[in-house]
Amino acid sequence: MPELWIFSEGDLQRGLGHLTRCSAYASAWRGQGGKVNWVVDGDNTAKKLLRNESVIWRSWQQELITDTHDAVAIVDSYSATPDVLKSIADHFMRVIYLDDTKRLSYPKGLVIHAAQRGNTSIADDAEWVFGAEWQPLRPAFWDVPPRERIPKQIERILILMGGTDIRKLTPTMLQLAHDIYPNAEIHTIISHPNTLTKQPKTIIHHQLNDKEIAALMCHCDIAISAAGQTTCELARCGLPSVLIGVADNQKEQLKKWTEDNLFMYGGWWNEPELIAHVSSKLKALCSSDTRKQRAAALQRQIDGKGTMRAVKWLSQC
């Protein structure tokens, strides 16, 4: 099996979504007996996340690849130039590009786009695939049972504003959840637990692995979440959620995931009416019938096999 090279980026300011989803591919590739190397533009936060990986740390996005590799590659970047992408395509046997915004024309390879039911008529040299069936999920999310526990009253709420919470929304959403469901237990996952003031019935989680996060998503009844990488994980666990857009690259994904009775649309982080929007949607999830319907609809959208679909495509050299 050829080596896999992952080219990506992530830090406290840009977030860790690229690195999180690429770690799913790394786990799957090693599970098939392959070796994984990373080239990452990142900071100490990223280094903590990838502490067990083999990583070359550098700003690579404008460096042309000049050596031919008997290897395959995955590129997950918002800043790599077209010339750099072309050099990677020319010097690796197969390449996958992860794209959230259709930001440019890609060279030969496979482009995986995050949005559901996307437009496939894109004029470039790459093959494009869309939707949840291709999204990279970490191993703990590959095999999740149907959600059966739908309590009459909401007992547990999960707050997920992204790995680094770039918009600093966690305290506001915690308070909102407490105000609407004062008897519920509130869970939140954050990078730096000392940034939150402790409140009653609040459990703060820090540095959870994928198994722990999957268990927590299955344990909770509803969530408030940024519309980033965790969206597909929430869907896989059938967790009814209110989604908030916190970055421009989430625009298309937020729109698609809040159609057809899937997730609730909470709005954008900088909207004046954000609190009112999120509040109304949280109250709408009070109904156990609503939660049951949405949980089933979400789990029908994603089978957990997207990571292995990509690995299979890469390995066909």
Side-chain angles (χ1 to χ4, degrees):
M1 195 158 185
E3 290 186 0
L4 169 63
W5 285 75
I6 299 174
F7 296 84
S8 194
E9 60 207 15
D11 52 35
L12 196 58
Q13 298 302 316
R14 291 174 290 185
L16 302 174
H18 293 315
L19 305 182
T20 299
R21 64 185 177 187
C22 285
S23 70
Y25 294 127
S27 296
W29 199 259
R30 281 192 294 267
Q32 300 292 307
K35 182 180 177 182
V36 180
N37 301 294
W38 296 68
V39 182
V40 177
D41 174 16
D43 64 358
N44 286 333
T45 305
K47 289 178 181 179
K48 288 179 182 178
L49 180 67
L50 300 179
R51 57 188 176 275
N52 296 321
E53 300 284 350
S54 173
V55 186
I56 298 170
W57 296 97
R58 72 167 186 258
S59 298
W60 57 272
Q61 297 93 327
Q62 297 185 38
E63 297 179 356
L64 297 179
I65 299 294
T66 57
D67 297 328
T68 299
H69 295 261
D70 292 327
V72 296
I74 293 173
V75 183
D76 192 358
S77 169
Y78 293 152
S79 53
T81 67
D83 287 342
V84 169
L85 296 180
K86 178 68 164 55
S87 74
I88 293 173
D90 288 344
H91 291 88
F92 284 83
M93 294 187 291
R94 281 202 160 198
V95 183
I96 284 177
Y97 315 94
L98 301 187
D99 182 281
D100 302 304
T101 62
K102 304 186 182 82
R103 74 180 187 95
L104 46 75
S105 295
Y106 286 89
K108 64 180 180 181
L110 180 72
V111 182
I112 296 178
H113 191 277
Q116 301 282 76
R117 301 180 299 278
N119 173 16
T120 57
S121 59
I122 295 175
D124 59 20
D125 293 330
E127 174 188 356
W128 286 69
V129 292
F130 293 83
E133 66 178 325
W134 279 92
Q135 290 310 298
L137 295 180
R138 292 174 287 177
F141 297 92
W142 294 354
D143 186 17
V144 177
R147 180 173 287 267
E148 295 180 351
R149 180 186 172 277
I150 311 287
K152 289 292 183 182
Q153 304 295 324
I154 290 174
E155 300 170 2
R156 306 179 188 98
I157 302 173
L158 180 60
I159 311 292
L160 284 165
M161 289 296 108
T164 58
D165 189 10
I166 59 174
R167 305 304 181 187
K168 305 296 184 286
L169 288 172
T170 298
T172 301
M173 294 304 145
L174 273 173
Q175 188 60 56
L176 185 60
H178 275 299
D179 291 344
I180 296 173
Y181 296 106
N183 296 320
E185 186 177 82
I186 313 295
H187 295 259
T188 188
I189 304 173
I190 57 175
S191 297
H192 302 287
N194 57 349
T195 61
L196 280 181
T197 302
K198 284 216 169 186
Q199 297 187 42
K201 299 185 74 100
T202 299
I203 300 174
I204 300 171
H205 302 273
H206 177 52
Q207 291 187 339
L208 299 187
N209 60 35
D210 61 323
K211 291 182 180 179
E212 293 166 329
I213 293 174
L216 188 56
M217 288 182 178
C218 291
H219 178 69
C220 290
D221 303 316
I222 63 172
I224 309 171
S225 177
Q229 177 58 25
T230 55
T231 302
C232 288
E233 295 177 348
L234 292 166
R236 183 73 182 126
C237 294
L239 183 56
S241 306
V242 180
L243 297 187
I244 300 171
V246 301
D248 290 343
N249 64 291
Q250 296 173 4
K251 183 176 182 180
E252 193 167 356
Q253 179 156 288
L254 178 60
K255 180 178 183 296
K256 295 294 186 181
W257 272 113
T258 51
E259 294 175 343
D260 301 330
N261 207 28
L262 296 172
F263 291 117
M264 293 277 196
Y265 180 82
W268 284 91
W269 69 276
N270 55 352
E271 288 180 8
E273 300 300 318
L274 176 66
I275 301 303
H277 288 322
V278 175
S279 178
S280 67
K281 298 305 170 58
L282 282 179
K283 291 174 182 176
L285 289 174
C286 178
S287 164
S288 60
D289 288 341
T290 296
R291 284 181 275 122
K292 183 177 181 179
Q293 183 182 43
R294 287 180 179 270
L298 287 166
Q299 289 194 299
R300 285 195 296 268
Q301 293 294 312
I302 185 164
D303 62 10
K305 298 177 182 178
T307 309
M308 295 309 298
R309 286 188 180 94
V311 165
K312 181 178 180 181
W313 185 90
L314 275 176
S315 62
Q316 294 173 348
C317 298

